[in-house]
Amino acid sequence: MKSSAKNLFLTLTLGLLATGAALAQTSGRISYEATQRVDLSKVHIVINGQQVKPGSPDFPADIPETRSFGLNLSFAGPAGKEEREGGGMTMRTVTMNGDGPAAAPQMTNFARPFEEATYLDLANRATTTVLTVKKDDASTTYRADAPVPAPTGWNLTGQTKKIAGYTCRKATVPYKKETYTVWYTTDLPFTYSPVRELTPDKGVVLALESEQEQYRAAKVDLKPVPAAEVQPVATAQKVTPAELKDLREKTLADFRQKMMEGGGMRFNRN
């Protein structure tokens, strides 16, 4: 009996060591393609210095219904870094006369007035969001830590399919008053989802979709990633998630105001 218990303990120990070793040795990048429906209530349109809201006769009818962007996850052992491609701001200037536009709209793209990245503790289901705010020639870096929410309401199905070369299982999950379809694989030795609230108990989400948004992994590339690349800067000023949100929104509001003062993000009427 003692021998059997000893063998069982040894087997469990070796299994845990093997799992830990696999996690420590795995590194690479996952590239997602994403599409989200545009929330018109968050689109800022300014005409003659006044903000125009959806429903107004002056609100443009040609705002795109969706926007597309890329999302990249770099991972090395138990740590990861999530970065979003795109997401800048677009200025459209239209000169109007009494009969309508006097010329074609002029489009100008601007980078956001801050840099933002999310770092992940893949072993302990935690995130660190790092925000670097640029002002004049100086910059200040902040960080906010938060846990990854525990999964709730997951309904697993028997369906499977291949995504980016990995066998994925299908689940449906209620979230934001919708039912999301989630495809995840357990063939990678960590847990992750591009939508934090849709993170499974175990596994990596390679695709998810709803009426409002879609994410799909285009490529999973296992290759060396420097450990330092997926670690947050140690000198960042620590704040709460709510304080970080306020800093982000204030920085955006100040940037929009400067653009309007300089002739940006507005429709000009002669």
Side-chain angles (χ1 to χ4, degrees):
M1 182 67 179
K2 290 183 178 180
S3 177
S4 298
K6 183 177 180 180
N7 289 337
L8 177 60
F9 175 76
L10 180 60
T11 300
L12 290 173
T13 301
L14 290 174
L16 290 172
L17 289 174
T19 301
L23 180 58
Q25 294 173 4
T26 301
S27 65
R29 289 185 172 85
I30 303 178
S31 301
Y32 292 88
E33 296 173 348
T35 302
Q36 289 181 333
R37 190 173 297 278
V38 173
D39 183 353
L40 293 180
S41 67
K42 296 181 180 179
V43 175
H44 290 262
I45 302 294
V46 177
I47 299 177
N48 287 344
Q50 299 295 320
Q51 183 173 344
V52 178
K53 296 184 178 181
S56 167
D58 291 326
F59 194 85
D62 59 346
I63 301 295
E65 293 185 354
T66 61
R67 59 178 177 174
S68 299
F69 57 92
L71 184 72
N72 298 315
L73 172 71
S74 301
F75 54 93
K81 180 183 180 182
E82 184 183 84
E83 292 182 290
R84 179 168 167 168
E85 297 177 350
M89 304 175 71
T90 299
M91 176 186 75
R92 178 169 66 170
T93 303
V94 180
T95 301
M96 307 289 288
N97 57 29
D99 299 322
Q106 300 297 312
M107 308 295 291
T108 307
N109 293 320
F110 291 87
R112 293 187 299 178
F114 53 77
E115 296 177 357
E116 185 171 5
T118 300
Y119 296 83
L120 300 108
D121 182 342
L122 299 170
N124 297 303
R125 299 179 66 94
T127 67
T128 297
T129 301
V130 175
L131 184 76
T132 300
V133 178
K134 295 169 282 187
K135 187 174 183 180
D136 299 325
D137 295 329
S139 62
T140 306
T141 301
Y142 305 89
R143 63 174 285 171
D145 302 328
V148 173
T152 58
W154 280 59
N155 177 33
L156 302 181
T157 73
Q159 298 182 51
T160 63
K161 70 175 179 180
K162 288 270 190 178
I163 299 175
Y166 289 83
T167 299
C168 295
R169 297 181 61 187
K170 178 183 177 182
T172 57
V173 190
Y175 176 57
K176 288 185 176 179
K177 299 181 180 180
E178 288 191 81
T179 297
Y180 276 67
T181 298
V182 179
W183 295 90
Y184 69 99
T185 181
T186 55
D187 293 339
L188 291 166
F190 59 91
T191 296
Y192 169 78
S193 172
V195 175
R196 215 70 66 223
E197 291 80 2
L198 298 176
T199 303
D201 273 325
K202 179 182 179 182
V204 176
V205 173
L206 294 184
L208 60 83
E209 61 182 11
S210 72
E211 291 294 326
Q212 299 299 318
E213 60 185 342
Q214 296 180 0
Y215 289 81
R216 186 179 182 88
K219 184 178 182 181
V220 178
D221 189 8
L222 299 181
K223 62 180 182 180
V225 172
E229 184 179 321
V230 294
Q231 296 292 337
V233 59
T235 56
Q237 180 179 333
K238 191 170 183 179
V239 296
T240 66
E243 290 171 333
L244 193 77
K245 180 181 178 182
D246 289 343
L247 285 165
R248 184 190 300 110
E249 292 180 351
K250 183 180 185 305
T251 302
L252 281 173
D254 291 345
F255 184 63
R256 293 191 193 102
Q257 184 63 35
K258 287 183 179 180
M259 290 179 70
M260 287 189 291
E261 291 172 356
M265 283 192 73
R266 69 182 181 188
F267 292 77
N268 295 324
R269 291 183 183 272
N270 291 336

